[in-house]
Amino acid sequence: QVQLVESGGGLVQTGGSLRLSCEASGGTFSSYTMGWFRQPPGTEREFVAALSRSGGNINYADSVKGRFTITRDNAKNTVFLQMNSLKPEDTAVYCCAASPLSSAVVSRRNYSYWGQGTEVTVSS
C-alpha cells in the first residue's frame, strides 16, 4: 500500500509560481509512474502531468505545456510539480497519483494510489 502526501499549495497572484511536492511511503517509489491531476471547483478531476518510473517518458496536458514541469527524486521518494506563469484557471485542488504502469499514462483509471490533495488558488 502506497501513501501519498502533497504539500506546497497556497494562494498566489496571476503570473506567480508554486512548487508542489508529493512524498510517497509504503512502497517502492521508483517502480511507479507518477502523475499530477487537478480538480477545479465544480468540475471533474483532470490530468495535468505524468512522469514514467524510468524518467524517460513525460506527458503534459496542453493547458500547462511550457508552464509546468514534473520531476522526481527517487532517493527522496518525492515527485514535484513546478508551476510557473500561473493563471486563475489553474485554481484547483492538485493531487498526485501512482501507477504501476511503465509509461506516463494520462487516464485516471491507470492510477492505483492517490493523495488527498493540496489547494492552489490563483488570484487575478
Side-chain angles (χ1 to χ4, degrees), residues 18-35:
L18 282 175
R19 188 193 196 203
L20 305 184
S21 301
C22 170
E23 184 172 1
S25 61
T28 305
F29 179 74
S30 59
S31 67
Y32 290 95
T33 281
M34 298 301 296

Side-chain angles (χ1 to χ4, degrees), residues 28-94:
T28 305
F29 179 74
S30 59
S31 67
Y32 290 95
T33 281
M34 298 301 296
W36 285 96
F37 291 77
R38 68 185 181 186
Q39 187 166 13
T43 68
E44 292 191 356
R45 188 173 291 178
E46 62 186 30
F47 170 75
V48 175
L51 176 59
S52 65
R53 58 193 185 195
S54 70
N57 184 216
I58 302 176
N59 276 319
Y60 293 101
D62 288 342
S63 58
V64 307
K65 280 180 181 176
R67 300 188 299 123
F68 290 11
T69 303
I70 184 172
T71 57
R72 65 191 296 160
D73 185 338
N74 287 343
K76 295 182 178 180
N77 292 346
T78 302
V79 61
F80 304 96
L81 186 68
Q82 178 67 44
M83 306 187 297
N84 299 328
S85 302
L86 283 162
K87 306 174 182 179
E89 50 264 43
D90 294 318
T91 294
V93 175
Y94 285 72

